[in-house]
């Protein structure tokens, strides 16, 4: 499938009616003044022999920039979807994609996936998504990327935000610049953010550090790192303002009442999705 057909698909997604809403989503505070959450407790590592608990989101780091987000209601969403999750026979309900490189999208997603959300539209125009599935609201904020001709493709990347279980979970995508004031406002408060920390292919580390200090998310999950050296370089620069936790696995269960009281970097170790029982 060509990029031009994908652009047409993106326009179709925008124009298509949204599914009937069942008003079951726990209200979030994404677009609001952020304050401390009384009674917050520490997040815990996910257990895959259990279903996702109520008001909880399971975040599984699959590979590179791809995460699987699973909800208590049984919805499964994949970020920067490449068409492959591992050995699991799963058809996600929602996939998001960015097209900076082939490791962030696929031209041939499974046609049985109900909602395919490309993070770009016609060149320089961008795209707008606001997909309300009742339990989850998925929206995006467009940012610029460097084009393949060393220029700039305005609005060619998307920061995707998932509002679910009272949480605001953001995926910064293949970010190539610090958001401006309008983009920061549109992104809003993020409880959890997945951030590319490669230090060059996306933004440099000082810029990403500045972004994360401004977002003040309770949980930062590093992604898009190429080996331990790259990851360690990021962690060293963040130690003054963030607690660092090596989770020891690929997944976390996160809920509003278990967010850490101090901004925390949760280091997940990517793993293909091979189990199908949870």
């Amino acid at each position: 499938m060509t990029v031009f057909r994908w652009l047409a698909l993106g326009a179709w997604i925008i124009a298509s009616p949204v599914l009937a809403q069942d008003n079951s989503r726990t209200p979030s505070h994404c677009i609001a003044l952020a304050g401390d959450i009384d009674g917050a407790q520490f997040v815990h590592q996910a257990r895959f022999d259990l279903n996702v608990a109520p008001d909880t989101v399971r975040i599984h780091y699959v590979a590179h920039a791809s995460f699987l987000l699973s909800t208590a209601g049984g919805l499964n969403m994949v970020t920067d979807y490449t068409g492959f999750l591992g050995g699991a026979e799963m058809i996600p309900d929602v996939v998001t994609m960015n097209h900076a490189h082939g490791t962030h999208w696929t031209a041939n997603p499974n046609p049985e996936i109900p909602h395919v959300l490309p993070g770009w539209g016609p060149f320089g125009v961008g795209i707008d998504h606001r997909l309300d599935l009742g339990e989850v609201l998925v929206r995006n904020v467009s940012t610029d990327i460097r084009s393949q001709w060393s220029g700039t493709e305005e609005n060619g990347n998307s920061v995707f935000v998932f509002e679910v279980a009272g949480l605001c979970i953001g995926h910064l995508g293949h970010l190539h610049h610090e958001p401006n004031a309008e983009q920061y406002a549109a992104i809003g408060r993020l409880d959890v953010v997945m951030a590319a920390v490669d230090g060059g292919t996306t933004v440099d580390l000082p810029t990403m550090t500045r972004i994360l200090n401004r977002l003040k998310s309770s949980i930062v999950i590093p992604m898009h790192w190429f080996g331990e050296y790259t990851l360690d370089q990021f962690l060293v620069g963040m130690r003054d303002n963030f607690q660092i936790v090596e989770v020891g696995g690929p997944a976390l269960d996160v809920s509003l009442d278990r967010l850490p009281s101090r901004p925390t970097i949760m280091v997940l170790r990517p793993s293909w999705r091979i189990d199908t029982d949870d």
Side-chain angles (χ1 to χ4, degrees):
M1 183 181 291
T2 66
V3 170
F4 295 104
R5 290 180 65 187
W6 264 114
L7 299 182
L9 173 62
W12 177 84
I13 293 171
I14 297 174
S16 299
V18 176
L19 291 181
Q21 302 174 19
D22 60 11
N23 298 318
S24 61
R25 185 171 63 255
T26 302
S28 67
H29 54 271
C30 295
I31 308 300
L33 293 176
D36 293 335
I37 300 173
D38 293 335
Q41 300 177 18
F42 199 66
V43 71
H44 66 81
Q45 185 174 355
R47 292 178 56 194
F48 286 104
D49 56 338
L50 300 175
N51 291 325
V52 180
D55 295 319
T56 298
V57 180
R58 178 164 297 159
I59 301 175
H60 182 114
Y61 189 11
V62 177
H64 198 57
S66 295
F67 291 83
L68 170 65
L69 280 63
S70 302
T71 74
L75 290 175
N76 291 293
M77 301 162 287
V78 179
T79 66
D80 279 23
Y81 179 66
T82 65
F84 182 70
L85 295 177
E89 296 181 3
M90 171 187 289
I91 297 175
D93 300 284
V94 180
V95 299
T96 66
M97 299 188 296
N98 279 300
H99 71 161
H101 301 288
T103 50
H104 297 260
W105 73 295
T106 176
N108 300 290
N110 189 322
E112 295 184 24
I113 298 173
H115 304 284
V116 178
L117 308 183
W120 68 97
F123 190 91
V125 176
I127 198 166
D128 292 311
H129 296 294
R130 189 175 179 86
L131 176 65
D132 194 333
L133 300 179
E135 187 185 17
V136 178
L137 172 68
V138 185
R139 58 184 176 87
N140 76 304
V141 178
S142 291
T143 63
D144 302 341
I145 60 171
R146 296 182 292 273
S147 72
Q148 59 181 315
W149 302 283
S150 300
T152 299
E153 180 183 351
E154 295 182 358
N155 300 312
N157 176 74
S158 280
V159 174
F160 280 96
V161 179
F162 303 82
E163 300 185 23
V164 53
L167 296 162
C168 305
I169 301 173
H171 186 283
L172 298 183
H174 210 277
L175 195 63
H176 286 178
H177 65 89
E178 181 171 4
N180 59 32
E182 182 179 358
Q183 290 165 333
Y184 270 124
I187 292 168
R189 162 71 183 179
L190 298 179
D191 298 297
V192 182
V193 61
M194 295 86 147
V197 301
D198 55 271
T201 308
T202 56
V203 297
D204 57 42
L205 288 182
T207 301
M208 181 54 74
T209 299
R210 187 166 60 248
I211 291 169
L212 296 175
N213 280 323
R214 174 160 179 171
L215 288 174
K216 294 183 173 64
S217 300
S218 297
I219 297 174
V220 174
I221 302 177
M223 66 174 184
H224 208 264
W225 41 271
F226 306 104
E228 294 298 322
Y229 177 80
T230 305
L231 177 61
D232 288 344
Q233 288 292 103
F234 167 71
L235 296 178
V236 166
M238 299 295 288
R239 290 186 185 279
D240 289 344
N241 296 323
F242 288 78
Q243 181 178 0
I244 297 173
V245 174
E246 179 71 56
V247 175
L252 290 172
D253 278 356
V254 184
S255 64
L256 192 61
D257 64 349
R258 292 198 301 266
L259 292 174
S261 58
R262 177 186 174 190
T264 300
I265 296 172
M266 296 288 195
V267 179
L268 300 181
R269 298 293 168 169
S271 175
W272 295 114
R273 181 81 159 87
I274 59 174
D275 50 308
T276 59
D277 295 331
D278 52 306

